[in-house]
Amino acid sequence: MNHSTADGTRIDRRALVAASITVALWASAFVSIRGVADHFSPGALALGRLLTGSAIMGVLLLVKRVGFPPREAWRGILISGVFWFGAYMVVLNWGEQKVDAGTAAMVVNVGPLVIALLGGWLLREGFPRMLVAGMAVSFAGAIVVGISTSSGGHSSLGGVLLCLLAAVCYGVGVVGQKPALRHASALQVTAFACFTGTIVCLPFAGQLVSQVSRAPLSASWNILYLGAFPTALAFTTWAYALARTTAGKLGATTYAVPALVVVMSWIFLGEVPAWLAVAGGALCLGGVAVSRLGGSASTPAPASVPAPAPRAAGGGPVHGPAAEASSTGSD
C-alpha cells in the first residue's frame, strides 16, 4: 500500500517496513560488536562477520541467478569493498573496544558529512553554505565528545578518533561506490563488495581461528548474527526499500540509529554514555541535519552504502545517501 507525502512523493509501506528493519539491525550491530570486544580482536571479528555475510550473499546470488558485475563497475566495487566492508569494519571494531556503543554510533554518524565533503571535492558537486555550516557544528560536537572522554570514564579519546576514522572510511566507500551503481545492480555491488572486504581481512584468519576456539559459544554466535542480520539481511532490506523510494527520504531514517543504540546498550550491556558525550553526539547529528537544509542532492545518508551502505559500523558504525550514492553501512 502506498501513501502520498506533502511533496507528492508516493511511499511504499513495504519500503518503510524494510527500512525500519535495516535501521534496527544496524543499531543492534553496534551493541553486538561492543558485546564481543573482550573475546575477539578487531580484525578477527570483521573477518568472521564478513565470512558469514559473504556465504549468505553468495547463496542469494546463486538463487537469484545473478552473475558477475560488468567490468565498468569493478573499480567502484573494489573501492567500496576495501574501505567500507574492510577498513571500516576493522576500525569500528577497534574503536568500540575503547568507547561505549552509544558514543560510537553518534560519532560514526557524521559519515554523511564526510560523503558530502568528498563528493564536493572528488565528484565536483560543490560545497553549499549549509554543508560548511553543518561540518562546523559536527566538528564542534566531536570536540565535545572528545573532551567528555579525556577525563576518564568508559570511553577514551583514542576510541573517538578511531570512530571518526571509521566514518571517513565509510565515506570513501560510498563515494567510490557511486559510479559502480550506474553499471551494476545494488545486489551485485553489495555482494561483491562484501566478497572484496572478506579477502582484505583474510590476514586475520589465524587470529579468528585461535580466538573462536577460546571464546564462549555466545560470542561466536554473535559473530554469526552480525554477518547474517546486520550485514546480509539489513543490506538486502535497504536495497529493497531504496528501489521503491528516494535515498534522501530513507537516509533520514538512519538518524534513529544512535538513539536506538543508546537504549539497546543500556538494556543489554548496562552502558550509558556520559551526559557530555550525549550532548556532543547530539551536536554531531545536528550538524548532519543542518548540512541537509540546503537540499543538496549530493549529501547521502549513512546507512545507504550497501544498498548501496558505513557510520559500518558498526561498529559499523554503525555501525549508511543520495540516490546515486545509494550503497551502509555502517553498522
Side-chain angles (χ1 to χ4, degrees):
M1 181 178 181
N2 294 332
H3 296 276
S4 296
T5 60
D7 62 2
T9 303
R10 298 183 70 81
I11 299 177
D12 189 324
R13 175 179 290 180
R14 290 172 297 182
L16 293 178
V17 172
S20 299
I21 292 172
T22 298
V23 168
L25 291 176
W26 276 338
S28 73
F30 284 92
V31 180
S32 292
I33 291 170
R34 180 69 173 167
V36 298
D38 292 336
H39 305 290
F40 291 99
S41 61
L45 177 57
L47 177 59
R49 175 179 179 177
L50 287 168
L51 283 171
T52 304
S54 292
I56 294 173
M57 296 297 290
V59 171
L60 185 59
L61 289 176
L62 290 175
V63 170
K64 296 180 71 68
R65 298 183 179 179
V66 177
F68 284 85
R71 182 176 57 185
E72 297 82 0
W74 274 102
R75 182 172 181 270
I77 289 173
L78 292 175
I79 292 174
S80 176
V82 170
F83 284 94
W84 199 89
F85 287 84
Y88 168 85
M89 289 194 180
V90 174
V91 175
L92 177 61
N93 294 343
W94 192 4
E96 284 209 60
Q97 290 188 339
K98 301 176 182 295
V99 303
D100 61 84
T103 300
M106 289 185 286
V107 174
V108 168
N109 266 269
V110 305
L113 287 181
V114 176
I115 296 167
L117 178 63
L118 292 174
W121 174 39
L122 298 176
L123 304 179
R124 299 182 180 180
E125 295 174 336
F127 300 94
R129 284 182 298 176
M130 298 311 294
L131 168 60
V132 176
M135 289 175 62
V137 173
S138 287
F139 182 68
I143 291 176
V144 172
V145 174
I147 292 173
S148 74
T149 60
S150 63
S151 58
H154 298 299
S155 303
S156 74
L157 180 59
V160 173
L161 293 176
L162 284 169
C163 290
L164 284 174
L165 178 58
V168 172
C169 292
Y170 158 73
V172 172
V174 173
V175 174
Q177 188 178 44
K178 182 175 181 177
L181 292 170
R182 301 192 187 112
H183 306 287
S185 69
L187 176 59
Q188 287 176 311
V189 172
T190 303
F192 284 91
C194 188
F195 300 157
T196 301
T198 302
I199 294 172
V200 168
C201 291
L202 281 178
F204 301 110
Q207 293 181 14
L208 177 61
V209 172
S210 172
Q211 291 165 15
V212 164
S213 65
R214 299 194 307 265
L217 185 59
S218 59
S220 298
W221 279 111
N222 224 348
I223 288 185
L224 296 179
Y225 170 81
L226 283 167
F229 294 96
T231 303
L233 177 58
F235 290 163
T236 302
T237 52
W238 183 266
Y240 174 91
L242 191 63
R244 289 159 177 77
T245 186
T246 66
K249 291 184 182 299
L250 285 182
T253 64
T254 62
Y255 291 136
V257 169
L260 287 173
V261 173
V262 170
V263 173
M264 289 180 180
S265 61
W266 172 56
I267 294 174
F268 296 106
L269 303 177
E271 291 183 344
V272 179
W275 70 268
L276 193 57
V278 172
L283 273 177
C284 289
L285 298 179
V288 177
V290 168
S291 72
R292 291 176 172 276
L293 293 179
S296 170
S298 65
T299 307
S304 28
V305 176
R311 178 106 290 162
V318 293
H319 85 15
E324 315 92 283
S326 45
S327 46
T328 214
S330 60
D331 176 87

